Amino acid sequence: MSSAVMGMILPALLIIIAIIAALVWRGRQFGRLARHGVPVTGTVVRKMRQGGAQRIAFTYRGPDGHEYRRAATIALGKWVELAEGGPIPIICLPDHPQTSAPAWLIEDARRALKLQP
């Protein structure tokens, strides 16, 4: 294989590996959140659209008393339901409260893993 072809394939391969690694990492987080997460109530700080996706930024106070700010890409139906300044149910890890996700996403993970809510 020529070095020009390798020069084109290698960067693409590295990008694919990075994407897979990120998906595995987030999947493990969702598994931990599904098994050990605790509910907290957050506040929607901002709703935005980026590249055809609906995103929200939210804050919440973790079990440790600290405030955290995160963002998530969500389905249009949920995006429409939420209002800036309004509440949002969040699940976070009690031992690592900066790890969180909207509660309905974790409920989906719990159903997929056949866990009790």
Side-chain angles (χ1 to χ4, degrees), residues 38-43 56 58-60 88-92 99-103:
V38 296
V40 296
T41 300
T43 302
I56 53 165
F58 55 91
T59 60
Y60 62 95
I88 179 172
I90 302 295
I91 302 291
C92 71
T99 300
S100 66

Side-chain angles (χ1 to χ4, degrees), residues 10-108:
L10 187 58
L13 185 60
L14 291 174
I15 290 170
I16 291 168
I17 290 169
I19 291 170
I20 291 169
L23 291 172
V24 168
W25 173 73
R26 189 60 173 156
R28 286 179 178 233
Q29 280 187 336
F30 264 65
R32 287 189 63 215
L33 285 164
R35 288 179 179 85
H36 308 292
V38 296
V40 296
T41 300
T43 302
V44 177
V45 175
R46 186 170 172 221
K47 292 171 61 174
M48 59 219 130
R49 292 182 185 226
Q50 294 177 333
Q54 295 73 229
R55 290 187 52 81
I56 53 165
F58 55 91
T59 60
Y60 62 95
R61 190 163 304 281
D64 61 355
H66 291 94
E67 186 170 272
Y68 297 92
R69 182 180 174 128
R70 296 288 175 261
T73 300
I74 61 173
L76 179 60
K78 286 291 185 181
W79 191 82
V80 170
E81 288 177 18
L82 297 170
E84 288 185 4
I88 179 172
I90 302 295
I91 302 291
C92 71
L93 291 175
D95 62 337
H96 199 258
Q98 58 270 38
T99 300
S100 66
W104 65 87
L105 296 176
I106 301 307
E107 293 306 321
D108 289 345

Side-chain angles (χ1 to χ4, degrees), residues 1-11:
M1 195 175 298
S2 74
S3 63
V5 173
M6 283 301 291
M8 292 171 49
I9 293 175
L10 187 58

